[in-house]
Amino acid sequence: MARPGNRIIQAKLVLLGDMGTGKTSLVLRFVKGQFFDHQEPTIGAAFFTQILSLAEATVKFDIWDTAGQERYHSLAPMYYRGAAAAVVVYDISSIDTFVRAKRWVQELQRQGNPNMIMALVANKLDLDSKREVQNEEGEQFAQENGMFFMETSAKTAENINELFYEIAKRLARAY
Ligand code: GDP
Ligand code: MG
């Protein structure tokens, strides 16, 4: 909850990335603390809110999840409009999703707000034995594109809160 005198920042956050990379699972882990092995790909609320309190500000996230439109490899401009933060997700066990994450980043750079805080997220870290994308490859691409990088697992919850705290901190610095 907001402390007296503490700033409140309301921020729209959008998720991008191929179908099946775990976007909905990341959001459900963050917002509800839940994970489903058989996450239904297209059904579910497309909009969630969550509040994070930092020492310097209280951040109210309005999180927009896709409802399966990413299947067509593009999202409507209204999806990005007004977004203060974007999370581009790939799956460490699928090189194809990393290749396409790069295209999602390009699309963001074309359509999104230029001051947007952007995170590149390598999800399914628990599938390390099937890893096809090395940590360094993600890190390097993120650096080249002014994004921060994190490896996560929606399944084990590893780095999920850390991801959203890092975004909140950057929002507090920027706004
Ligand atoms: P979306 O299409 O990007 O929204 O992906 P979903 O959240 O629907 O997840 C697709 C599938 O991957 C589902 O079967 C999830 O249970 C699974 N999944 C999501 N995150 C993880 C993870 O971190 N580890 C593993 N092993 N599976 C995951
Ligand atoms: Mg989804």
Side-chain angles (χ1 to χ4, degrees), residues 18-20 22-25 39-43 65-68 70:
D18 268 19
M19 179 161 266
K23 298 179 297 299
T24 299
S25 299
Q39 181 59 45
E40 171 58 52
T42 55
I43 295 177
D65 186 17
T66 60
E70 71 274 34

Side-chain angles (χ1 to χ4, degrees), residues 17-26 35-41 65-66 70 123-127 152-156:
D18 268 19
M19 179 161 266
T21 53
K23 298 179 297 299
T24 299
S25 299
L26 287 168
F35 177 79
F36 303 94
D37 273 313
H38 302 287
Q39 181 59 45
E40 171 58 52
D65 186 17
T66 60
E70 71 274 34
N123 189 41
K124 307 199 187 181
L125 188 51
D126 57 288
L127 299 182
T152 63
S153 170
K155 183 166 183 162
T156 67

